[in-house]
Amino acid sequence: MSLPTKTKTQSPPAGPAADSDAPLLAIEDLRTWFDTPQGIVHAVDGVDLTLERGKTLALVGESGSGKSVLGRSVMGILGSHALTPTGSVRIDGRELRGKSRKELRGLWGPVVSMVFQDPLTSLNPVRRLDVQLTEGMAVHLPLSKADRLARAVDLLRRVGIPEPERRLRMYPHELSGGMRQRVGIAIALACKPRLLIADEPTTALDVTIQRQILDLLAELQDLGGMGMILITHNLGVAAGRSDDIAVMYAGQIIEKGPTKNVFKHTRHPYTSALLGSLPRLEDPPHSTLAAPPGRPPVVVDPPRRCRFAERCSHAQARCLSEAPTLDQDTSAGTSVACFFPVGTGRGTDALKRNQEAGRTAAGLAVERSVA
Amino acid sequence: MRARAAVKRLSHVIAVLSIVTFMTMLMLDLAPGDPARVAAGDTATPEQLAAAREQLNLDKPVIVRWLLWVGDLLRGDLGTSLRTRQDVSDVLIERIPVTAEIAVLALVMALVIAIPVGTWSAYRKGRAFDKVSQAVGSVLISAPSFLVALVLSYGLALQLGWLPIVGWAGFAEDPVGNLRTATLAVLSLALCEAAVFVRLLRSDMITVLGQEYVLAATAKGLSPYRVLVKHALRPSSFSLLTLAGISLGRLIGGTVTIEVIFSIPGIGQLIYQSIMNKDVITVQGAVAFIAIAYIIINATVDLMYTWLDPRIKVGGKR
């Protein structure tokens, strides 16, 4: 009884469609809409993604871009105001869409599991840690109570919590924020999931703790061959911790590919703007960070146009009348949904035209080029 | 720190008891009617009245009478009823078990109804079960308990003949009869309390069900039953506990209308009769009992908060 190791990889739970050739996670045309007083919000609107075993996919975007909803749609833990998602989510080749709540419950823990953003709110304040750690095992693993407790101690030790036996008798408020997030990770790993969805696992923590938690996740993942979706708004986090990256905007993936390619050959003006908003050591003190102006739109009744056009310095008339699709860009080795990508002739021309005009086709003011 | 908290608490208790009993004495003194006449009888001569007045200290100011009463109380003497000449403590000891039984049974029944109904209503917010329970709750909340009592006694006692309409059988002599005579009163009180409990628990539970830790518990693959009972119920129970404490205090104090309707010889009936008779000493004793009961219940509720939420420490804040 130990955590998953490379030699003792957990075999996929038996199921009619379990397929070892299929990728760990395959999402096709996933749409999650919410019925709100403002109308139908297209929080996730036609997403395709795949993730291989043991790999990490970073899902990046601003707040409100739909990343968390996408993560929750994969698990199927959406609130009651969510309309039934359409499209396909397959884990190890098994379709999750259309499964009953009861069937899904059997998968939550051993197949797919989640680390929540805020460890201060995602642990129950009135229950001791032993209960919170072992209750999932009681549902999914054939372990006696003593074995479950022993595994809980083992898990706490793995996530770097000193004196695990003593901590088990504690309540969450008796631990620091970083410790609580370690407990959150231990809970998510309790039933040896095949896929871990880490929803901004470090956003609520201070920087030194962030690093420890991310290192811990990477280490645990290496041990178990577990796939991970790392949801983050921090491109710096994504850069060092992922094999692939998918940039999300207004419910859609607008750029994706191997992490190094996306960083080296950034094509989408949005990704480029996000990168521009990262502070660099070379920058002189007090330089203004180039954040993309405005905020991601809440997508109600989406028009047929590029959703980023209003905030994009490359926007042309075409962007306002036609929606770009996510197409392969062989020169960059990535996929991008843009008519005028950064680093291409078309994109450079578009930006130049807008700079000469002083504004984009969508009316956004652009600084006139000095050169 | 512990000792200081205890002293603080005790001084609080003494202050509450003093104010409540003094106010009772003052109000009864201001009310029309003459306790001396009650004590001496309607046919008393002026001399007898004057003697009674002196014996009852009615010639002294209220504050002095109250201090004398407190002095007797400290010696364990609650005085004798002006009308029946019985020891007030004897009367109370006879009456308290009756009211206490009804109060405790009503509270337990209200909770037994309200916890599952409130929890399920919150979980199925806006669905059929919730709508029906909300509608029934609205009726019970707006209907006074005596109306519910009358409807129940019409249905269960008069039409179906399952239960006696009025009367009371002591538990020691006739346990089954005791429960049968208590049922209507308990049910009428419990339904009205339960309606309020359901509403409160439902709204607190809806808030808790929106919390991240409930989602996290769901995401462990736990059954809805386990999520609701083991994760959501305890954090949803604070207002319910507070209200249940207040309700129990009110019920222990005797529900006058219910005891009168079903002719139950409890505290409520005693107070009602004693006030009518200007039996100041009996009222005073009953009021002291009610105040003490409230204080004990409040202290128990405070202790239970610390059990509900480990972040609360005794004598401290969250």
PDB file of all heavy atoms in Angstrom, chain B residues 108-136:
ATOM      1  N   VAL B 108     -38.048  17.959  20.224  1.00  0.00           N
ATOM      2  CA  VAL B 108     -37.441  16.803  19.549  1.00  0.00           C
ATOM      3  C   VAL B 108     -38.210  16.484  18.273  1.00  0.00           C
ATOM      4  O   VAL B 108     -37.624  16.295  17.197  1.00  0.00           O
ATOM      5  CB  VAL B 108     -37.401  15.583  20.498  1.00  0.00           C
ATOM      6  CG1 VAL B 108     -37.050  14.320  19.729  1.00  0.00           C
ATOM      7  CG2 VAL B 108     -36.413  15.817  21.624  1.00  0.00           C
ATOM      8  N   MET B 109     -39.533  16.479  18.389  1.00  0.00           N
ATOM      9  CA  MET B 109     -40.325  16.157  17.202  1.00  0.00           C
ATOM     10  C   MET B 109     -40.123  17.212  16.112  1.00  0.00           C
ATOM     11  O   MET B 109     -39.991  16.882  14.928  1.00  0.00           O
ATOM     12  CB  MET B 109     -41.795  16.043  17.574  1.00  0.00           C
ATOM     13  CG  MET B 109     -42.650  15.527  16.439  1.00  0.00           C
ATOM     14  SD  MET B 109     -44.389  15.438  16.887  1.00  0.00           S
ATOM     15  CE  MET B 109     -44.453  13.833  17.615  1.00  0.00           C
ATOM     16  N   ALA B 110     -40.058  18.480  16.520  1.00  0.00           N
ATOM     17  CA  ALA B 110     -39.856  19.548  15.533  1.00  0.00           C
ATOM     18  C   ALA B 110     -38.526  19.353  14.805  1.00  0.00           C
ATOM     19  O   ALA B 110     -38.446  19.498  13.586  1.00  0.00           O
ATOM     20  CB  ALA B 110     -39.898  20.908  16.222  1.00  0.00           C
ATOM     21  N   LEU B 111     -37.487  18.982  15.561  1.00  0.00           N
ATOM     22  CA  LEU B 111     -36.180  18.783  14.930  1.00  0.00           C
ATOM     23  C   LEU B 111     -36.185  17.552  14.031  1.00  0.00           C
ATOM     24  O   LEU B 111     -35.612  17.558  12.938  1.00  0.00           O
ATOM     25  CB  LEU B 111     -35.088  18.659  15.998  1.00  0.00           C
ATOM     26  CG  LEU B 111     -34.759  19.952  16.739  1.00  0.00           C
ATOM     27  CD1 LEU B 111     -33.808  19.684  17.893  1.00  0.00           C
ATOM     28  CD2 LEU B 111     -34.152  20.973  15.786  1.00  0.00           C
ATOM     29  N   VAL B 112     -36.863  16.507  14.505  1.00  0.00           N
ATOM     30  CA  VAL B 112     -36.932  15.274  13.711  1.00  0.00           C
ATOM     31  C   VAL B 112     -37.638  15.539  12.380  1.00  0.00           C
ATOM     32  O   VAL B 112     -37.277  14.990  11.344  1.00  0.00           O
ATOM     33  CB  VAL B 112     -37.643  14.159  14.511  1.00  0.00           C
ATOM     34  CG1 VAL B 112     -38.072  13.016  13.617  1.00  0.00           C
ATOM     35  CG2 VAL B 112     -36.729  13.663  15.616  1.00  0.00           C
ATOM     36  N   ILE B 113     -38.614  16.424  12.406  1.00  0.00           N
ATOM     37  CA  ILE B 113     -39.285  16.781  11.154  1.00  0.00           C
ATOM     38  C   ILE B 113     -38.407  17.738  10.340  1.00  0.00           C
ATOM     39  O   ILE B 113     -38.200  17.556   9.146  1.00  0.00           O
ATOM     40  CB  ILE B 113     -40.646  17.453  11.437  1.00  0.00           C
ATOM     41  CG1 ILE B 113     -41.593  16.478  12.134  1.00  0.00           C
ATOM     42  CG2 ILE B 113     -41.275  17.972  10.139  1.00  0.00           C
ATOM     43  CD1 ILE B 113     -42.851  17.132  12.673  1.00  0.00           C
ATOM     44  N   ALA B 114     -37.878  18.741  11.024  1.00  0.00           N
ATOM     45  CA  ALA B 114     -37.275  19.865  10.290  1.00  0.00           C
ATOM     46  C   ALA B 114     -35.926  19.518   9.661  1.00  0.00           C
ATOM     47  O   ALA B 114     -35.618  20.007   8.574  1.00  0.00           O
ATOM     48  CB  ALA B 114     -37.112  21.067  11.221  1.00  0.00           C
ATOM     49  N   ILE B 115     -35.116  18.705  10.322  1.00  0.00           N
ATOM     50  CA  ILE B 115     -33.764  18.483   9.785  1.00  0.00           C
ATOM     51  C   ILE B 115     -33.813  17.762   8.432  1.00  0.00           C
ATOM     52  O   ILE B 115     -33.249  18.265   7.459  1.00  0.00           O
ATOM     53  CB  ILE B 115     -32.867  17.781  10.825  1.00  0.00           C
ATOM     54  CG1 ILE B 115     -32.567  18.763  11.955  1.00  0.00           C
ATOM     55  CG2 ILE B 115     -31.576  17.290  10.189  1.00  0.00           C
ATOM     56  CD1 ILE B 115     -31.824  18.175  13.127  1.00  0.00           C
ATOM     57  N   PRO B 116     -34.509  16.635   8.318  1.00  0.00           N
ATOM     58  CA  PRO B 116     -34.562  16.013   6.981  1.00  0.00           C
ATOM     59  C   PRO B 116     -35.296  16.877   5.955  1.00  0.00           C
ATOM     60  O   PRO B 116     -34.821  17.008   4.818  1.00  0.00           O
ATOM     61  CB  PRO B 116     -35.319  14.702   7.198  1.00  0.00           C
ATOM     62  CG  PRO B 116     -35.587  14.581   8.637  1.00  0.00           C
ATOM     63  CD  PRO B 116     -35.168  15.817   9.341  1.00  0.00           C
ATOM     64  N   VAL B 117     -36.395  17.485   6.354  1.00  0.00           N
ATOM     65  CA  VAL B 117     -37.169  18.267   5.383  1.00  0.00           C
ATOM     66  C   VAL B 117     -36.370  19.488   4.922  1.00  0.00           C
ATOM     67  O   VAL B 117     -36.279  19.775   3.723  1.00  0.00           O
ATOM     68  CB  VAL B 117     -38.538  18.691   5.977  1.00  0.00           C
ATOM     69  CG1 VAL B 117     -39.247  19.672   5.055  1.00  0.00           C
ATOM     70  CG2 VAL B 117     -39.420  17.475   6.220  1.00  0.00           C
ATOM     71  N   GLY B 118     -35.757  20.198   5.879  1.00  0.00           N
ATOM     72  CA  GLY B 118     -34.990  21.388   5.523  1.00  0.00           C
ATOM     73  C   GLY B 118     -33.795  21.042   4.647  1.00  0.00           C
ATOM     74  O   GLY B 118     -33.496  21.733   3.669  1.00  0.00           O
ATOM     75  N   THR B 119     -33.108  19.950   4.998  1.00  0.00           N
ATOM     76  CA  THR B 119     -31.940  19.538   4.233  1.00  0.00           C
ATOM     77  C   THR B 119     -32.321  19.167   2.809  1.00  0.00           C
ATOM     78  O   THR B 119     -31.705  19.625   1.839  1.00  0.00           O
ATOM     79  CB  THR B 119     -31.284  18.321   4.914  1.00  0.00           C
ATOM     80  OG1 THR B 119     -30.967  18.664   6.259  1.00  0.00           O
ATOM     81  CG2 THR B 119     -30.026  17.905   4.197  1.00  0.00           C
ATOM     82  N   TRP B 120     -33.373  18.372   2.706  1.00  0.00           N
ATOM     83  CA  TRP B 120     -33.763  17.924   1.369  1.00  0.00           C
ATOM     84  C   TRP B 120     -34.302  19.077   0.539  1.00  0.00           C
ATOM     85  O   TRP B 120     -34.043  19.160  -0.662  1.00  0.00           O
ATOM     86  CB  TRP B 120     -34.779  16.775   1.491  1.00  0.00           C
ATOM     87  CG  TRP B 120     -34.882  15.985   0.213  1.00  0.00           C
ATOM     88  CD1 TRP B 120     -35.940  15.967  -0.631  1.00  0.00           C
ATOM     89  CD2 TRP B 120     -33.879  15.128  -0.351  1.00  0.00           C
ATOM     90  NE1 TRP B 120     -35.661  15.145  -1.698  1.00  0.00           N
ATOM     91  CE2 TRP B 120     -34.408  14.629  -1.555  1.00  0.00           C
ATOM     92  CE3 TRP B 120     -32.591  14.756   0.030  1.00  0.00           C
ATOM     93  CZ2 TRP B 120     -33.687  13.753  -2.375  1.00  0.00           C
ATOM     94  CZ3 TRP B 120     -31.876  13.889  -0.782  1.00  0.00           C
ATOM     95  CH2 TRP B 120     -32.429  13.400  -1.973  1.00  0.00           C
ATOM     96  N   SER B 121     -35.038  19.980   1.176  1.00  0.00           N
ATOM     97  CA  SER B 121     -35.547  21.151   0.453  1.00  0.00           C
ATOM     98  C   SER B 121     -34.403  21.973  -0.121  1.00  0.00           C
ATOM     99  O   SER B 121     -34.477  22.444  -1.253  1.00  0.00           O
ATOM    100  CB  SER B 121     -36.357  22.057   1.390  1.00  0.00           C
ATOM    101  OG  SER B 121     -37.641  21.577   1.538  1.00  0.00           O
ATOM    102  N   ALA B 122     -33.357  22.153   0.692  1.00  0.00           N
ATOM    103  CA  ALA B 122     -32.213  22.943   0.218  1.00  0.00           C
ATOM    104  C   ALA B 122     -31.528  22.225  -0.939  1.00  0.00           C
ATOM    105  O   ALA B 122     -31.163  22.837  -1.940  1.00  0.00           O
ATOM    106  CB  ALA B 122     -31.222  23.166   1.358  1.00  0.00           C
ATOM    107  N   TYR B 123     -31.362  20.915  -0.794  1.00  0.00           N
ATOM    108  CA  TYR B 123     -30.684  20.134  -1.820  1.00  0.00           C
ATOM    109  C   TYR B 123     -31.474  20.145  -3.118  1.00  0.00           C
ATOM    110  O   TYR B 123     -30.901  20.207  -4.203  1.00  0.00           O
ATOM    111  CB  TYR B 123     -30.496  18.702  -1.307  1.00  0.00           C
ATOM    112  CG  TYR B 123     -29.762  17.784  -2.258  1.00  0.00           C
ATOM    113  CD1 TYR B 123     -28.467  18.055  -2.654  1.00  0.00           C
ATOM    114  CD2 TYR B 123     -30.380  16.632  -2.744  1.00  0.00           C
ATOM    115  CE1 TYR B 123     -27.791  17.214  -3.522  1.00  0.00           C
ATOM    116  CE2 TYR B 123     -29.714  15.784  -3.615  1.00  0.00           C
ATOM    117  CZ  TYR B 123     -28.422  16.081  -4.002  1.00  0.00           C
ATOM    118  OH  TYR B 123     -27.766  15.239  -4.863  1.00  0.00           O
ATOM    119  N   ARG B 124     -32.809  20.090  -2.993  1.00  0.00           N
ATOM    120  CA  ARG B 124     -33.667  20.062  -4.182  1.00  0.00           C
ATOM    121  C   ARG B 124     -34.348  21.413  -4.370  1.00  0.00           C
ATOM    122  O   ARG B 124     -35.543  21.478  -4.672  1.00  0.00           O
ATOM    123  CB  ARG B 124     -34.730  18.968  -4.056  1.00  0.00           C
ATOM    124  CG  ARG B 124     -34.160  17.608  -3.690  1.00  0.00           C
ATOM    125  CD  ARG B 124     -33.400  16.976  -4.804  1.00  0.00           C
ATOM    126  NE  ARG B 124     -34.296  16.390  -5.791  1.00  0.00           N
ATOM    127  CZ  ARG B 124     -33.860  15.815  -6.907  1.00  0.00           C
ATOM    128  NH1 ARG B 124     -32.570  15.759  -7.151  1.00  0.00           N
ATOM    129  NH2 ARG B 124     -34.709  15.297  -7.757  1.00  0.00           N
ATOM    130  N   LYS B 125     -33.599  22.478  -4.175  1.00  0.00           N
ATOM    131  CA  LYS B 125     -34.159  23.820  -4.245  1.00  0.00           C
ATOM    132  C   LYS B 125     -34.921  24.046  -5.550  1.00  0.00           C
ATOM    133  O   LYS B 125     -34.397  23.784  -6.616  1.00  0.00           O
ATOM    134  CB  LYS B 125     -33.021  24.848  -4.134  1.00  0.00           C
ATOM    135  CG  LYS B 125     -33.484  26.266  -4.030  1.00  0.00           C
ATOM    136  CD  LYS B 125     -32.315  27.225  -3.909  1.00  0.00           C
ATOM    137  CE  LYS B 125     -31.647  27.465  -5.240  1.00  0.00           C
ATOM    138  NZ  LYS B 125     -30.648  28.515  -5.220  1.00  0.00           N
ATOM    139  N   GLY B 126     -36.163  24.524  -5.392  1.00  0.00           N
ATOM    140  CA  GLY B 126     -36.961  24.851  -6.570  1.00  0.00           C
ATOM    141  C   GLY B 126     -37.667  23.667  -7.209  1.00  0.00           C
ATOM    142  O   GLY B 126     -38.440  23.837  -8.146  1.00  0.00           O
ATOM    143  N   ARG B 127     -37.388  22.450  -6.698  1.00  0.00           N
ATOM    144  CA  ARG B 127     -38.079  21.267  -7.234  1.00  0.00           C
ATOM    145  C   ARG B 127     -39.387  21.058  -6.479  1.00  0.00           C
ATOM    146  O   ARG B 127     -39.699  21.778  -5.541  1.00  0.00           O
ATOM    147  CB  ARG B 127     -37.194  20.027  -7.092  1.00  0.00           C
ATOM    148  CG  ARG B 127     -35.797  20.170  -7.642  1.00  0.00           C
ATOM    149  CD  ARG B 127     -35.797  20.081  -9.157  1.00  0.00           C
ATOM    150  NE  ARG B 127     -34.429  19.948  -9.664  1.00  0.00           N
ATOM    151  CZ  ARG B 127     -33.808  18.786  -9.790  1.00  0.00           C
ATOM    152  NH1 ARG B 127     -34.406  17.676  -9.457  1.00  0.00           N
ATOM    153  NH2 ARG B 127     -32.580  18.729 -10.260  1.00  0.00           N
ATOM    154  N   ALA B 128     -40.102  20.010  -6.871  1.00  0.00           N
ATOM    155  CA  ALA B 128     -41.442  19.770  -6.321  1.00  0.00           C
ATOM    156  C   ALA B 128     -41.425  19.651  -4.799  1.00  0.00           C
ATOM    157  O   ALA B 128     -42.214  20.303  -4.107  1.00  0.00           O
ATOM    158  CB  ALA B 128     -42.032  18.506  -6.947  1.00  0.00           C
ATOM    159  N   PHE B 129     -40.494  18.840  -4.266  1.00  0.00           N
ATOM    160  CA  PHE B 129     -40.471  18.627  -2.810  1.00  0.00           C
ATOM    161  C   PHE B 129     -40.297  19.950  -2.073  1.00  0.00           C
ATOM    162  O   PHE B 129     -40.988  20.249  -1.100  1.00  0.00           O
ATOM    163  CB  PHE B 129     -39.333  17.672  -2.440  1.00  0.00           C
ATOM    164  CG  PHE B 129     -39.242  17.398  -0.959  1.00  0.00           C
ATOM    165  CD1 PHE B 129     -39.997  16.390  -0.387  1.00  0.00           C
ATOM    166  CD2 PHE B 129     -38.436  18.177  -0.138  1.00  0.00           C
ATOM    167  CE1 PHE B 129     -39.937  16.147   0.978  1.00  0.00           C
ATOM    168  CE2 PHE B 129     -38.369  17.948   1.229  1.00  0.00           C
ATOM    169  CZ  PHE B 129     -39.121  16.929   1.779  1.00  0.00           C
ATOM    170  N   ASP B 130     -39.379  20.756  -2.577  1.00  0.00           N
ATOM    171  CA  ASP B 130     -39.102  22.040  -1.950  1.00  0.00           C
ATOM    172  C   ASP B 130     -40.333  22.936  -1.998  1.00  0.00           C
ATOM    173  O   ASP B 130     -40.691  23.585  -1.014  1.00  0.00           O
ATOM    174  CB  ASP B 130     -37.918  22.692  -2.677  1.00  0.00           C
ATOM    175  CG  ASP B 130     -37.528  24.020  -2.075  1.00  0.00           C
ATOM    176  OD1 ASP B 130     -37.616  24.151  -0.839  1.00  0.00           O
ATOM    177  OD2 ASP B 130     -37.123  24.917  -2.822  1.00  0.00           O
ATOM    178  N   LYS B 131     -40.979  22.965  -3.154  1.00  0.00           N
ATOM    179  CA  LYS B 131     -42.140  23.841  -3.299  1.00  0.00           C
ATOM    180  C   LYS B 131     -43.258  23.434  -2.350  1.00  0.00           C
ATOM    181  O   LYS B 131     -43.881  24.286  -1.714  1.00  0.00           O
ATOM    182  CB  LYS B 131     -42.633  23.822  -4.747  1.00  0.00           C
ATOM    183  CG  LYS B 131     -41.745  24.670  -5.639  1.00  0.00           C
ATOM    184  CD  LYS B 131     -42.247  24.722  -7.061  1.00  0.00           C
ATOM    185  CE  LYS B 131     -41.380  25.652  -7.889  1.00  0.00           C
ATOM    186  NZ  LYS B 131     -41.421  25.317  -9.307  1.00  0.00           N
ATOM    187  N   VAL B 132     -43.502  22.121  -2.252  1.00  0.00           N
ATOM    188  CA  VAL B 132     -44.563  21.650  -1.362  1.00  0.00           C
ATOM    189  C   VAL B 132     -44.201  21.973   0.093  1.00  0.00           C
ATOM    190  O   VAL B 132     -45.021  22.502   0.848  1.00  0.00           O
ATOM    191  CB  VAL B 132     -44.797  20.130  -1.541  1.00  0.00           C
ATOM    192  CG1 VAL B 132     -45.727  19.602  -0.460  1.00  0.00           C
ATOM    193  CG2 VAL B 132     -45.367  19.850  -2.923  1.00  0.00           C
ATOM    194  N   SER B 133     -42.960  21.693   0.473  1.00  0.00           N
ATOM    195  CA  SER B 133     -42.592  21.937   1.869  1.00  0.00           C
ATOM    196  C   SER B 133     -42.637  23.428   2.195  1.00  0.00           C
ATOM    197  O   SER B 133     -43.025  23.825   3.287  1.00  0.00           O
ATOM    198  CB  SER B 133     -41.220  21.334   2.184  1.00  0.00           C
ATOM    199  OG  SER B 133     -40.197  22.253   1.910  1.00  0.00           O
ATOM    200  N   GLN B 134     -42.273  24.260   1.229  1.00  0.00           N
ATOM    201  CA  GLN B 134     -42.347  25.706   1.444  1.00  0.00           C
ATOM    202  C   GLN B 134     -43.796  26.151   1.627  1.00  0.00           C
ATOM    203  O   GLN B 134     -44.092  26.987   2.480  1.00  0.00           O
ATOM    204  CB  GLN B 134     -41.744  26.445   0.257  1.00  0.00           C
ATOM    205  CG  GLN B 134     -40.263  26.266   0.109  1.00  0.00           C
ATOM    206  CD  GLN B 134     -39.499  27.225   0.985  1.00  0.00           C
ATOM    207  OE1 GLN B 134     -39.190  26.906   2.137  1.00  0.00           O
ATOM    208  NE2 GLN B 134     -39.216  28.395   0.478  1.00  0.00           N
ATOM    209  N   ALA B 135     -44.690  25.584   0.804  1.00  0.00           N
ATOM    210  CA  ALA B 135     -46.092  25.987   0.868  1.00  0.00           C
ATOM    211  C   ALA B 135     -46.704  25.561   2.207  1.00  0.00           C
ATOM    212  O   ALA B 135     -47.352  26.368   2.895  1.00  0.00           O
ATOM    213  CB  ALA B 135     -46.863  25.364  -0.292  1.00  0.00           C
ATOM    214  N   VAL B 136     -46.461  24.312   2.587  1.00  0.00           N
ATOM    215  CA  VAL B 136     -46.986  23.830   3.867  1.00  0.00           C
ATOM    216  C   VAL B 136     -46.403  24.654   5.012  1.00  0.00           C
ATOM    217  O   VAL B 136     -47.118  25.059   5.940  1.00  0.00           O
ATOM    218  CB  VAL B 136     -46.654  22.329   4.055  1.00  0.00           C
ATOM    219  CG1 VAL B 136     -47.046  21.861   5.449  1.00  0.00           C
ATOM    220  CG2 VAL B 136     -47.367  21.495   3.004  1.00  0.00           C
TER     221      VAL B 136
END
